[in-house]
């Protein structure tokens, strides 16, 4: 397939067409394609095979995978190790860094190490509070916040220096991302806060789950008015809800998740709630393709990872494009891409 | 005290005016602070600062006060020490994800900042906290800075 993105596994050199792009995700976005990223849940194990198995589910359907960093303040394999393992196989990954568990000394060291290991995308997060996870006894660090984390890594990359001012012989050449949640208060501050993140160095944005299109549209209008649409790529978060019960639980228990009543009622009324959850997700991806300034979607399908290929397929978001996958070097994925 | 803190963040203009009047006085007194020596001036001014700001803003004496950029809502009361705006976990009712009984300090900050003359200061990206300064007086630091205008730097 001619539109398949070229393989540049785990390297910084980008493609000939877009020499300034650091990896395939950045290439896809800069080329104006509708990008698909997804979340890959790190295993509770020390076995690399567990990581590869989880990645194989998505291959050929996503442009990049975000390896979460202790998401929900629960302990799992580290994001940097996941990304390092995956980029050796040629997968494009987004390493997530949360400010909750490490201070500025540890984080800067990790960023240099990650870049040396071939990781070229980093998402800067503040992180959930420790109370949300399985180790509520832990000391919350929060030495930096997502904003100062962005500035710190921008400094490493562009000024070639640590936060202390000490110089680096080579900076980490990374594409920097940040998160935003347009679905929680204060609504009128969210776009402005995004502007602040862009000023601090954010180049792409992945949002919290979008189940409320009007709120997203409102946010995107505000972003446009602030001139942000030309300065960063925005990928709203989407995901399939497993059932009305699961949706209620998430709304109640997962910080920052907003699910309107209409969605829950629709699930409640469905014969097959799981299928309905996927349909809602597919329709959302289709609707988002029409929203000005939306550059792609970030699919978070926790415990429903196997449904991601079908969702992507049904949404038509990839058009005739096949994101690169390791197997493509030996045999084309034509059969799965059209399945 | 939480109720006083809420009141203060809802009337930030009063404190903006008060501090703008107070700041030049502190700066003019810089020779006095210098003559007293750093330790003694820190003890006296720092104590007054601590008592008044603790009462009004639940101040944590981080030593690098940004109240005028945060609508007079002390961001050090955020359980995640956010210095640059609210996290993504604010509840739909505007309360904090970590301390559900408290309203998110950044909602107070945003609303407060809009009532202040320098309402756009909230848009400035704040550098990370310098943990060495905890417990020291921001007032004296500001007075020292203002009396040496040519000196540049991140926190001094
Ligand atoms: S909800 Fe507000 S106060 Fe609570 S942790 Fe987030 S930013 Fe801080």
């Amino acid at each position: 397939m001619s539109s398949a993105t070229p393989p540049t596994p785990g390297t910084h050199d980008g493609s000939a067409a877009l020499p300034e792009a650091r990896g395939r995700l950045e290439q896809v976005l800069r080329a104006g394609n509708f990008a698909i990223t997804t979340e890959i849940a790190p295993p509770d194990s020390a076995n690399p095979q567990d990581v590869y198995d989880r990645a194989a589910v998505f291959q050929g359907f996503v442009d990049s995978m975000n390896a979460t960093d202790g998401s929900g303040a629960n302990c799992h394999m580290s994001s940097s190790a996941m990304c390092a393992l995956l980029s050796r196989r040629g997968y494009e990954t987004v390493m997530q860094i949360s400010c909750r568990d490490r201070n500025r000394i540890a984080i800067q060291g990790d960023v240099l190490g990650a870049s040396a290991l071939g990781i070229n995308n980093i998402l800067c997060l503040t992180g959930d509070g420790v109370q949300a996870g399985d180790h509520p006894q832990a000391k919350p660090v929060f030495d930096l916040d997502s904003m100062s984390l962005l500035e710190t890594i921008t400094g490493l990359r562009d000024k070639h220096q640590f936060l202390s001012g000490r110089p680096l012989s080579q900076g980490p050449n990374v594409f920097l991302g940040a998160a935003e949640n347009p679905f929680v208060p204060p609504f009128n501050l969210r776009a402005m806060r995004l502007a602040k993140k862009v000023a601090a160095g954010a180049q792409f944005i992945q949002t919290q789950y979008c189940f409320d299109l009007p709120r997203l549209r409102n946010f995107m209008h505000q972003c446009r008015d602030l001139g942000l649409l030309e300065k960063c790529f925005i990928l709203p978060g989407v995901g399939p809800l497993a059932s009305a019960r699961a949706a209620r639980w998430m709304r109640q228990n997962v910080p920052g998740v907003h699910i309107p009543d209409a969605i829950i009622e629709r699930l409640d009324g469905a014969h097959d709630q799981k299928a309905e959850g996927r349909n809602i997700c597919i329709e959302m991806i289709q609707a988002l393709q029409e929203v000005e300034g939306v550059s792609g979607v970030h699919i978070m399908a926790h415990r429903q990872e196997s449904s991601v290929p079908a969702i992507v397929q049904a949404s038509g978001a990839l058009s005739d494009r096949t994101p690169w996958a390791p197997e493509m070097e030996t045999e084309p994925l034509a059969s799965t891409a059209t399945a | 005290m939480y109720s006083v803190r809420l009141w203060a963040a809802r009337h930030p203009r009063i404190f903006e005016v008060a501090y703008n009047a107070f700041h030049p006085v502190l700066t003019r007194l810089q020779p006095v602070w210098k003559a007293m020596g750093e330790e003694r001036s820190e003890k006296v001014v720092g104590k007054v600062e601590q008592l008044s700001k603790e009462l009004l803003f639940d101040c944590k004496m981080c030593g690098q006060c940004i109240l005028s950029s945060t609508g007079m809502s002390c961001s050090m009361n955020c359980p995640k020490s956010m210095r640059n705006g609210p996290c993504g976990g604010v509840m739909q009712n505007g309360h904090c994800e970590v301390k559900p009984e408290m309203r998110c300090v950044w909602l107070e900050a945003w609303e407060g900042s809009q009532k202040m003359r320098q309402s756009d200061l909230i848009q400035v990206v704040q550098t990370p906290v310098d943990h060495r300064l905890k417990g020291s007086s921001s007032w004296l630091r500001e007075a020292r800075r203002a009396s040496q205008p040519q000196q540049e730097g991140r926190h001094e």
Side-chain angles (χ1 to χ4, degrees), chain B residues 78-80 82 85-87 89-90 95-98 102 104-106:
Chain B
C78 162
K80 296 186 190 172
M82 306 283 291
C87 74
V90 184
H95 281 230
C96 168
E97 95 172 70
V98 183
M102 172 183 89
C104 169
V105 300
W106 278 99

Side-chain angles (χ1 to χ4, degrees), chain A residues 5-28:
Chain A
T5 15
T8 50
T11 59
H12 295 146
D13 47 20
S15 78
L18 294 162
E20 67 280 36
R22 274 151 279 233
R24 288 193 301 272
L25 175 63
E26 191 176 358
Q27 282 177 41
V28 165

Side-chain angles (χ1 to χ4, degrees), chain A residues 223-246:
Chain A
C223 289
R224 189 192 55 201
D225 294 345
L226 290 171
L228 298 176
L229 302 187
E230 295 78 42
K231 295 191 189 138
C232 65
F233 300 101
I234 301 178
L235 291 84
V238 294
L241 292 163
S243 64
R245 212 174 122 234

Side-chain angles (χ1 to χ4, degrees), chain A residues 104 127 143 145 181 193 196, chain B residues 80 83 86 88 122 129 131:
Chain A
R104 61 194 87 181
D143 184 29
D145 59 21
N181 190 354
R193 183 164 175 273
K196 225 169 143 173
Chain B
K80 296 186 190 172
R83 300 273 281 188
I122 199 166
V129 174
H131 291 278

